[in-house]
Amino acid sequence: MKFTLSWLKEHLDTTEPVEKLAETLTMIGLEVEHLEDKAKALAPYVIAKVITAEQHPNADRLRVCMVDTGEGAPIQVVCGAPNARAGLVSVFAPPGTYIPGKDITLGIGNIRGVESRGMLCSAAELELSEDHDGIIELPGDAPVGKPYAEWAGLGDPVIEINLTPNRADATGVHGIARDLGAADMGKFHNDAPKPIKGTFAAPAAVTVEDATLCPGFALRLVRGVKNGPSPEWLQRRLTSIGLRPINALVDITNFMTFDRGRPLHVFDAAKVKGSLVVRRAKAGESLVALDGKTYALDNTMCVIADDTGVESLAGIMGGEATGCDENTTDVLIESALWNEINIAQTGRKLGINSDARYRFERGVDPAFMVPGLELATKLVLDICGGEPSEIALTGKPYGDDRMIEFPIDEVKRLSGIDVPLTDIKRHLTHLGFMVAGQGPVVKIAVPSWRADVTGKADIVEEIVRIIGVDRVPLTPFPRGDAPRKPVLTALQLRTRRAKRALAARGMVEAVTWSFLSKTQAELFGGGKPELALANPIASDLSDMRPSLVPGLIAAAQANADRGFGDVALFEVGQVFLGDQPEQQFTAATGVRRAMASSKGFGRAWSGSWTVDAFDAKADALAVLAACGAPMQALQIVPCREAKNAPQWLHPGRSATIQIGPQNVLGHFGELHPRVLDALKADGPLVAFEVLLDRLPEPKARATRAKPQLELAAFQPVSRDFAFLTDHNVKAADIIRAAQGVDKKLITDVTLFDVYDGKGIPEGKKSVAIAVTLQPREKTLTDQDIEAVATKIVAEVTKKTGSTLRE
């Protein structure tokens, strides 16, 4: 919503500076997004006259101009504008001036060997218009040396506010002025429009077929008008907020829209055939609207029609066929009330965002329907002349009365501010409310233009925003004797930690559709009838997703198709394995493609590796560790051995992560070639998915073992072991056996190599682990280390049948 300071002052007597008004608007809930003061921005620019304009010695299209700026000797300026000539009066910018259209600060330049000490400007460079074909040409009698903004009348600041949807009353300058008046920024003028007596009978009343779509409709005919350009004051009002003047009749309706928040429409009466009817559109009907576009209509849309068909989209935009032009002599002025929801739905369907729709879908003042028509009639008579008819009225020209019983102490209870009853009455009265009674409970009548005020809390909000939100005291929450409970749930904390962990591993977060095609859903264990959408937005988005993997694969492939093949993407979101709450999970899922491996992550010597299942495993374990999973209890089971393993993973290059066979936390590995073909994706691609809901909750009480939080005072020791073992022995069993030798001394066991090539007997493999020993009481001697190493070899041999490799 835009308006100028002078426009505001037509409704508000104020001497406050524009900066103070803007600050107050924001404080009372009408947030100022932008304040544009052309006079201040263009202050350095002055009117200047070109004395001479000679050809540049080194450039065909440049001229060397001597410019009189009204002060001292003429200034030399190099200019490339085709209209630069001697005797021209234009706008001059001295060195040091900011040029908004070019986003530069002007300096003394040297152009093709000739010094230039300023600039002659175009309208585009000053952001006054799109005209950049030449420098500004001013009348010959424009005063040289005078500030251009002052001479051009640009000293009227433009204020732009961002309205919340509930403040329909502030979609007009009149309503904004009312709020500022209530905030003691000036005296508000609330002059009610005077009725215009008709000189002949009203036209036939409009037929309204469905009163739920149009609760009220007022129509007046003005005949004998002369429709030409609107007067200068009206054109200036519209152009100041970015609207293009069209003709007097149309400009009046646009002025009413922004001045009073009351959209109107004018029909050329000679072009209307028969009587007007408000009805639903019929299948197959269309309308060529005032924007020149043709819109196909359906029976959910409300229209105004005559005997020939649809003439206007009700409350949104008029039709081209009955629009007013310079030949219009008789005009029908329409002021109506429309169903807000229907207006919003129609505008959304047709993609029309008009100023009328913006106001009607928020709800205009029902009691101003007829007064708005009276005011528009007065403007038409004053500007275009003519003779008005009586008003033809259909439906209800006012809204329902609303009365709220309001306890005075409600202000203190909800806001913590003590406001005397006299102040409450004063502020509410200035806002248009009527207050009756002396307390402790008063009756408050809500004005017709405040449809958003429905209860006691709304009244408190009105009082607080006017007296100042900054007066609300800082009040800490009462803590009580018991400690405060966490704000976030365990699942919310896991979600945050999973996102941070994956981002820290160099992955990029993606957000994908919650729906898949039925074929894709079936590939990933879904496609159940209960997960099919009753009304899908597209045929390929028909089922709830059983996994986040297909959406991430599609995103990775889309990047690859555009030349960015090495991508690592993750998403944390819901997956649906059934329609019951216990079958819906929050999953942390990621995919890596091509060379987006994590093997060299965090290492200065890292190179490039093709992704494999171990990248996905590392990502999954990072998520589990960040979310507090019991890492020592995790089991890695190859998918070919696991029950109910996902079929979309390669059976020989994937595994599940579980705590026992009944609690599968997730899975990882390479994608099955069959799945890649079905998704039309190119490999290599690896993925993981962890179900955060399945992680065990942390124990409520501390265990007997106290965590070692202190830093050890002694140097850790690392020893490597290579075991020769059968192919079917899992590396995890060897690691677990080594960890169990001395849980206090052994702080880490890491697998760093698996080898089954030359030198290894048939059916065997070599598994190498690194064991870290962290002494806490004394430095380990060689004998201490050797004793632990002997125990490790013995324990691994006992539990896995492995032998130390020579």
Side-chain angles (χ1 to χ4, degrees), residues 279-399:
R279 60 171 172 82
R280 292 183 181 273
K282 300 174 183 176
E285 285 187 319
S286 62
L287 173 71
V288 180
L290 288 171
D291 60 359
K293 298 179 181 179
T294 301
Y295 296 96
L297 312 178
D298 62 43
N299 61 3
T300 65
M301 301 174 185
C302 183
V303 299
I304 304 174
D306 62 6
D307 292 350
T308 62
V310 177
E311 299 296 353
S312 175
L313 274 172
I316 297 177
M317 187 175 289
E320 193 177 73
T322 54
C324 294
D325 54 30
E326 67 277 3
N327 299 315
T328 300
T329 57
D330 297 339
V331 60
L332 287 167
I333 309 174
E334 164 246 307
S335 178
L337 300 175
W338 306 107
N339 182 290
E340 297 90 345
I341 295 176
N342 183 262
I343 294 293
Q345 290 174 339
T346 300
R348 194 176 298 117
K349 279 184 178 180
L350 299 178
I352 303 176
N353 291 302
S354 65
D355 294 320
R357 173 196 164 185
Y358 180 84
R359 286 155 178 81
F360 278 123
E361 68 184 2
R362 283 161 172 76
V364 299
D365 179 6
F368 196 69
M369 182 181 78
V370 173
L373 180 57
E374 299 281 16
L375 182 55
T377 303
K378 182 180 185 304
L379 290 170
V380 170
L381 297 178
D382 290 347
I383 297 172
C384 304
E387 182 183 6
S389 73
E390 297 290 345
I391 294 176
L393 185 62
T394 302
K396 189 177 179 181
Y398 51 84

Side-chain angles (χ1 to χ4, degrees), residues 191-317:
D191 301 326
K194 295 180 180 179
I196 304 293
K197 184 174 176 59
T199 59
F200 59 95
V206 174
T207 301
V208 177
E209 293 186 354
D210 188 346
T212 61
L213 296 179
C214 178
F217 196 103
L219 188 70
R220 167 174 264 162
L221 172 65
V222 181
R223 60 192 183 192
V225 300
K226 185 178 181 181
N227 187 27
S230 53
E232 182 183 350
W233 71 266
L234 181 51
Q235 292 194 35
R236 189 167 60 250
R237 284 280 175 265
L238 299 179
T239 55
S240 67
I241 60 173
L243 294 182
R244 178 175 60 89
I246 299 173
N247 57 56
L249 291 174
V250 175
D251 293 350
I252 288 169
T253 63
N254 287 334
F255 174 76
M256 288 290 298
T257 298
F258 283 87
D259 187 67
R260 293 299 186 110
R262 163 31 79 178
L264 304 165
H265 186 62
V266 287
F267 298 89
D268 188 325
K271 299 175 183 177
V272 175
K273 307 302 179 185
S275 298
L276 293 177
V277 179
V278 177
R279 60 171 172 82
R280 292 183 181 273
K282 300 174 183 176
E285 285 187 319
S286 62
L287 173 71
V288 180
L290 288 171
D291 60 359
K293 298 179 181 179
T294 301
Y295 296 96
L297 312 178
D298 62 43
N299 61 3
T300 65
M301 301 174 185
C302 183
V303 299
I304 304 174
D306 62 6
D307 292 350
T308 62
V310 177
E311 299 296 353
S312 175
L313 274 172
I316 297 177
M317 187 175 289

Side-chain angles (χ1 to χ4, degrees), residues 49-54 63-66 83-89:
K49 184 173 184 178
V50 180
I51 301 173
T52 62
E54 304 294 337
R63 285 178 170 76
V64 181
C65 303
M66 298 304 295
N83 61 334
R85 63 186 184 276
L88 175 67
V89 179

Side-chain angles (χ1 to χ4, degrees), residues 336-638:
L337 300 175
W338 306 107
N339 182 290
E340 297 90 345
I341 295 176
N342 183 262
I343 294 293
Q345 290 174 339
T346 300
R348 194 176 298 117
K349 279 184 178 180
L350 299 178
I352 303 176
N353 291 302
S354 65
D355 294 320
R357 173 196 164 185
Y358 180 84
R359 286 155 178 81
F360 278 123
E361 68 184 2
R362 283 161 172 76
V364 299
D365 179 6
F368 196 69
M369 182 181 78
V370 173
L373 180 57
E374 299 281 16
L375 182 55
T377 303
K378 182 180 185 304
L379 290 170
V380 170
L381 297 178
D382 290 347
I383 297 172
C384 304
E387 182 183 6
S389 73
E390 297 290 345
I391 294 176
L393 185 62
T394 302
K396 189 177 179 181
Y398 51 84
D400 297 326
D401 294 334
R402 283 169 293 149
M403 191 74 68
I404 297 174
E405 291 193 356
F406 183 73
I408 300 303
D409 58 2
E410 194 75 356
V411 180
K412 173 74 173 176
R413 188 181 74 84
L414 293 180
S415 70
I417 310 174
D418 251 327
V419 185
L421 178 59
T422 53
D423 287 351
I424 291 175
K425 285 187 173 182
R426 181 169 64 87
H427 291 311
L428 290 178
T429 301
H430 286 168
L431 288 171
F433 295 81
M434 294 180 65
V435 184
Q438 297 300 320
V441 177
V442 296
K443 290 187 176 181
I444 299 176
V446 181
S448 58
W449 56 84
R450 291 304 302 272
D452 59 312
V453 177
T454 58
K456 294 180 287 187
D458 298 323
I459 296 294
V460 174
E461 180 185 355
E462 292 302 299
I463 296 168
V464 171
R465 73 180 182 89
I466 295 300
I467 66 173
V469 178
D470 53 336
R471 287 183 54 184
V472 176
L474 297 174
T475 307
F477 286 107
R479 294 184 179 273
D481 297 330
R484 296 181 66 186
K485 294 181 179 180
V487 176
L488 299 179
T489 65
L491 184 58
Q492 289 172 326
L493 288 172
R494 290 173 188 168
T495 298
R496 288 188 175 191
R497 290 167 181 166
K499 289 182 177 183
R500 289 178 181 177
L502 294 173
R505 290 182 58 77
M507 304 186 80
V508 177
E509 185 174 8
V511 179
T512 64
W513 287 102
S514 297
F515 319 117
L516 302 172
S517 68
K518 188 172 185 61
T519 302
Q520 290 179 340
E522 289 173 344
L523 280 174
F524 288 82
K528 301 175 182 177
E530 62 268 24
L531 294 178
L533 300 180
N535 187 24
I537 58 176
S539 59
D540 58 346
L541 298 172
S542 60
D543 286 60
M544 301 300 291
R545 63 185 179 191
S547 169
L548 300 177
V549 172
L552 292 175
I553 291 176
Q557 187 61 42
N559 278 274
D561 294 341
R562 289 159 178 79
F564 301 97
D566 302 331
V567 291
L569 305 176
F570 78 89
E571 181 175 8
V572 180
Q574 280 194 306
V575 295
F576 304 87
L577 305 182
D579 60 349
Q580 300 302 313
E582 63 272 12
Q583 296 175 298
Q584 300 171 14
F585 300 93
T586 297
T589 306
V591 300
R592 291 183 183 268
R593 187 186 185 280
M595 309 294 286
S597 173
S598 63
K599 294 185 183 69
F601 185 80
R603 299 179 182 176
W605 48 267
S606 62
S608 296
W609 287 271
T610 302
V611 295
D612 58 25
F614 294 105
D615 291 302
K617 176 185 178 182
D619 292 332
L621 292 178
V623 169
L624 291 167
C627 294
M631 303 302 290
Q632 300 295 334
L634 298 182
Q635 300 171 353
I636 308 297
V637 180

